[in-house]
């Protein structure tokens, strides 16, 4: 593991501390039963702010091969809401950019093909790029050609050299995962046709701070972006943030439309102004975050402790990466939570990192009917509660942990 002392984006040395989540296990390193007895790697998780370019980031860089290659358990296709969100995105671009059989849509971190399959369905050529073996294989099985590797500036050169430049480049929830942020963005510039658009989604730092979504912080996420920080980053590579949308997915995200020609629209001007007005580009915006997160920890511990003292049984829903941060920081183990359920079959049968709580299929909820379910995947609360209507009808209650613990 490497620890940076300078800003990942601009190289400034005076980083200011925001939050220390302590030493934690890797959020997506789910354990098999055999691994429970082995030492589990843990790394510090420290969040800092760059006063020069306003980028919120963590200090630690765990090698990407350790994080993403073997046994990466995240498969995008297990959320219906995410599938709908992605399909709408693809159909909108196909119509707006008049894409057809002569176009090329590329996705960086294409996972199991959840997005590109919408282009394939209507005969538009695609290329997925993803280093995670299992998801890349799943994509190939559904007809999404996928290079099982990391996207880099060199790979972009190679593809462009072969004449494979893209009309659309998607990069959803990947920019924050990349240590060489500038190399990645320069790769986008190389791979994009002069008339093309890169459509990039990132969790939005303003939502993260305002809704106390501290659990979005884990070693995979090196950066937490504002439009201000991204606008600067893109401009450094001859790319322009021309349009932006705020979306509810993942607790609040930005969808950024980036092109080689500068035609900055009102959506971008408005958001940049809002960030200045709300001081998102200043350390004061982040100063109270650590105290709020500590308060959340105290409140959630107290709530779970009181329920356990009354003899209530509690399970959790969603073996999400963010769930690992939450249980490890708050200190929720098998004494509080009997089991976690998750629809993702690649996660079932394994154990949560750090706390070693078993992960089972969602049917276990009705079988065991614990009185409470802690929603670790609170970002999909509506979808999950809808799907678990019967559990609720039988008297089960849900606990939503952020922005403050609440029983619903
Ligand atoms: P989910 C993901 O993080 C992946 P995670 C990644 N780390 C990233 O950057 C962020 O998003 C932004 C399950 N589930 O997607 C599926 C059900 O079982 O919130 C997932 O395991 N039933 C790249 O891992 C988990 O919950 C359901 O009905 O924190 C949700 O994980 C639904 C809707 C989900 O993100």
């Amino acid at each position: 593991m490497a620890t940076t002392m300078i800003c990942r984006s601009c190289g400034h040395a005076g980083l200011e501390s925001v939050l220390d989540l302590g030493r934690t296990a890797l959020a997506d390193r789910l354990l098999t039963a055999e691994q429970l007895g082995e030492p589990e790697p843990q790394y510090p998780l420290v969040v800092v702010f760059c006063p020069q370019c306003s980028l919120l980031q963590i200090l630690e860089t765990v090698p990407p091969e350790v994080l993403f290659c073997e046994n990466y358990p995240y498969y995008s296709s297990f959320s219906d809401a995410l599938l709908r969100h992605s399909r709408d995105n693809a159909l909108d671009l196909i119509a707006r950019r008049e894409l057809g059989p002569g176009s090329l849509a590329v996705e960086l971190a294409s996972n199991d093909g959840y997005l590109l399959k919408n282009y394939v369905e209507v005969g538009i050529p695609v290329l997925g790029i993803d280093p995670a073996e299992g998801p890349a294989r799943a994509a190939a099985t559904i007809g999404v050609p996928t290079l099982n590797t990391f996207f880099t500036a060199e790979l972009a050169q190679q593809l462009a050299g072969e004449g494979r430049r893209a009309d659309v480049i998607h990069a959803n929830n990947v920019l924050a995962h990349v240590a060489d942020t500038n190399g990645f963005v320069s790769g986008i510039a190389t791979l994009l046709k002069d008339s093309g658009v890169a459509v990039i989604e990132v969790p939005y730092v303003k939502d993260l701070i305002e809704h106390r979504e501290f659990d979005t912080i884990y070693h995979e996420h090196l950066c937490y972006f504002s439009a201000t920080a991204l606008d600067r980053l893109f401009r450094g590579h001859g790319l322009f943030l021309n349009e932006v949308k705020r979306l509810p997915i993942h607790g609040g995200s930005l969808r950024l439309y980036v092109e080689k020609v500068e035609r900055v629209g009102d959506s971008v001007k408005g958001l940049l102004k809002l960030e200045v007005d709300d001081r998102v580009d200043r350390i004061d915006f982040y100063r109270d975050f650590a105290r709020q997160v500590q308060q959340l920890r105290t409140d959630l511990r107290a709530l779970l402790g009181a329920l356990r003292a009354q003899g209530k049984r509690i399970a959790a829903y969603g073996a999400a990466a963010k769930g690992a941060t939450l249980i490890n920081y708050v200190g929720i183990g098998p004494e509080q939570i009997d089991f976690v359920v998750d629809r993702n079959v690649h996660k079932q049968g394994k154990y949560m990192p750090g706390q070693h709580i078993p992960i089972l299929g969602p049917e276990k909820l009705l079988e065991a009917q614990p009185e409470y379910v802690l929603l670790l995947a609170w970002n999909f609360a509506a979808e999950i509660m809808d799907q678990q209507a019967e559990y609720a009808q039988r008297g089960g209650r849900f606990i939503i942990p952020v922005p403050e613990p609440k029983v619903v």
Side-chain angles (χ1 to χ4, degrees):
M1 186 205 68
T3 306
T4 182
M5 300 315 277
I6 58 167
C7 174
R8 295 174 179 279
S9 177
C10 75
H12 180 70
L15 298 173
E16 305 211 30
S17 87
V18 170
L19 176 67
D20 185 346
L21 289 167
R23 288 179 75 81
T24 63
L26 298 178
D28 269 319
R29 189 175 179 273
L30 306 181
L31 305 169
T32 59
E34 300 76 60
Q35 285 173 316
L36 291 179
E38 296 168 9
E40 191 177 1
Q42 298 202 331
Y43 303 90
L45 191 51
V46 177
V47 185
V48 295
F49 176 77
C50 174
Q52 183 162 285
C53 75
S54 83
L55 182 65
L56 192 72
Q57 54 202 287
I58 60 167
L59 292 178
E60 299 72 24
T61 307
V62 176
E65 300 74 26
V66 173
L67 292 173
F68 303 115
C69 289
E70 248 177 77
N71 299 324
Y72 188 60
Y74 176 74
Y75 286 65
S76 305
S77 293
F78 287 100
S79 160
D80 298 340
L82 183 75
L83 289 175
R84 270 197 309 275
H85 166 96
S86 310
R87 183 171 174 75
D88 292 349
N89 187 11
L91 296 183
D92 174 60
L93 282 161
I94 292 169
R96 272 168 58 172
R97 314 286 300 193
E98 298 178 354
L99 304 179
S103 315
L104 176 65
V106 176
E107 186 178 15
L108 317 179
S110 45
N111 198 268
D112 58 10
Y114 71 103
L115 171 68
L116 288 181
K117 69 178 185 183
N118 296 294
Y119 290 92
V120 173
E121 260 176 31
V122 293
I124 297 169
V126 302
L127 178 66
I129 301 171
D130 199 296
E133 240 175 68
R137 216 178 309 120
T141 325
I142 59 162
V144 175
T146 303
L147 295 177
N148 183 206
T149 186
F150 288 99
F151 176 71
T152 57
E154 293 71 40
L155 180 59
Q157 290 287 0
Q158 186 194 318
L159 291 169
E162 292 166 7
R164 298 163 90 185
R165 288 169 79 214
D167 295 275
V168 175
I169 298 179
H170 287 282
N172 294 340
N173 298 306
V174 59
L175 197 54
H177 298 63
V178 180
D180 181 10
T181 318
N182 282 294
F184 191 87
V185 176
S186 81
I188 291 179
T190 305
L191 187 59
L192 196 63
K193 281 188 187 162
D194 291 348
S195 59
V197 62
V199 185
I200 299 170
E201 290 184 25
V202 296
Y204 187 24
V205 73
K206 189 167 189 294
D207 290 318
L208 186 154
I209 298 293
E210 288 177 345
H211 307 139
R212 298 179 202 152
E213 298 165 358
F214 75 96
D215 49 354
T216 301
I217 299 165
Y218 42 91
H219 297 96
E220 285 171 41
H221 292 166
L222 304 169
C223 301
Y224 304 85
F225 292 111
S226 61
T228 309
L230 287 168
D231 186 48
R232 281 182 200 154
L233 174 66
F234 295 139
R235 280 175 186 270
H237 297 279
L239 295 170
F240 300 94
L241 173 56
N242 287 337
E243 190 187 340
V244 65
K245 290 183 183 167
R246 287 183 75 171
L247 302 166
I249 198 96
H250 293 305
S253 297
L254 293 181
R255 179 180 291 157
L256 311 135
Y257 296 81
V258 177
E259 294 168 297
K260 292 191 174 176
V261 261
E262 183 170 9
R263 44 174 164 230
V264 180
D266 289 346
S267 59
V268 175
K269 289 178 192 154
L271 194 61
L272 293 175
K273 179 171 181 321
L274 178 74
E275 291 185 358
V276 172
D277 292 348
D278 287 0
R279 303 184 71 73
V280 179
D281 58 343
R282 296 275 176 272
I283 182 68
D284 15 316
F285 183 71
Y286 305 86
R287 280 213 205 281
D288 202 33
F289 187 55
R291 190 198 57 74
Q292 292 175 359
V293 171
Q294 283 152 14
Q295 186 62 50
L296 191 155
R297 171 167 65 177
T298 307
D299 295 346
L300 187 55
R301 273 188 188 164
L303 173 64
L304 298 181
L307 294 174
R308 279 310 247 203
Q310 293 162 28
K312 307 291 189 205
R313 285 163 311 141
I314 311 169
Y317 197 120
K322 66 173 69 60
T325 295
L326 190 116
I327 61 172
N328 284 312
Y329 175 72
V330 177
I332 302 170
E335 314 76 44
Q336 287 84 21
I337 300 284
D338 297 334
F339 56 87
V340 178
V341 299
D342 198 291
R343 261 200 334 194
N344 179 342
V345 289
H346 307 278
K347 296 186 176 182
Q348 295 168 11
K350 302 222 169 122
Y351 293 80
M352 291 297 282
Q355 298 290 347
H356 301 183
I357 307 171
I359 304 164
L360 308 169
E363 63 286 352
K364 184 71 186 168
L365 274 189
L366 284 182
E367 246 171 80
Q369 192 66 35
E371 283 86 353
Y372 291 86
V373 169
L374 173 63
L375 282 183
L376 296 176
W378 50 261
N379 47 321
F380 292 120
E383 178 176 348
I384 292 170
M385 286 161 64
D386 206 33
Q387 173 204 110
Q388 292 299 325
E390 191 174 343
Y391 163 78
Q393 265 155 27
R394 292 191 197 170
R397 308 283 302 271
F398 296 97
I399 303 169
I400 299 187
V402 301
E404 64 233 326
K406 180 171 83 179
V407 177
V408 294

